[in-house]
Amino acid sequence: NRTVGPGYSFRLPFQIGANDFANNCVGNPAQVLLPDCSQPASSPVNNFTFSRKLVETDVLYCDFTAALTAQQGALHGASSHRFSVSDKNYGGMSKEGTEKVESYHFYATDSVLAVEPFMRIAIQPGHRQMWHHKIKFHQN
């Protein structure tokens, strides 16, 4: 039974800054998440790890739609739908897709780490539309 904490990480296809945590989150994830150490402390980043193990009462939730929308022009096609979640001791997964992502949510508890992309797919009656998802799982 593994607990989400140090060794767990996630990567988003866009950058998150301090304001994104302050304005769009519940549970104060900025106190638990560590940004990628290769970036200056004040710079927005897209790769995060955990500073401590989450406990049963920790419930972290963020809606990163505003950050995604602000950077959408710099993201093209599948690049807006590319993220990963991993545990350095066991493995992880990465996902990319061809459809444009409308919003991203992040959710974590002591037993769950989820990056949730949301797409809006509108298909007219009698028409078809294709999209692709590629999910890779890996073990360490």
Side-chain angles (χ1 to χ4, degrees), residues 1-32:
N1 202 10
R2 296 182 296 274
T3 301
V4 174
Y8 281 77
S9 65
F10 66 96
R11 176 179 291 274
L12 299 170
F14 52 93
Q15 296 183 328
I16 301 297
N19 286 343
D20 297 307
F21 285 117
N23 299 327
N24 304 304
C25 296
V26 183
N28 210 354
Q31 290 185 350
V32 180

Side-chain angles (χ1 to χ4, degrees), residues 16 23 26 40 51 54 63 76 89-90 94 115 127 129 137 140:
I16 301 297
N23 299 327
V26 183
S51 63
L54 299 184
D63 179 348
H76 303 287
N89 297 311
Y90 295 94
S94 61
V115 174
H127 291 85
Q129 183 174 341
F137 294 93
N140 294 343

Side-chain angles (χ1 to χ4, degrees), residues 37-53:
C37 295
S38 67
Q39 300 291 323
S42 61
S43 297
V45 297
N46 67 341
N47 193 35
F48 296 89
T49 59
F50 289 80
S51 63
R52 64 169 174 82
K53 281 188 172 185

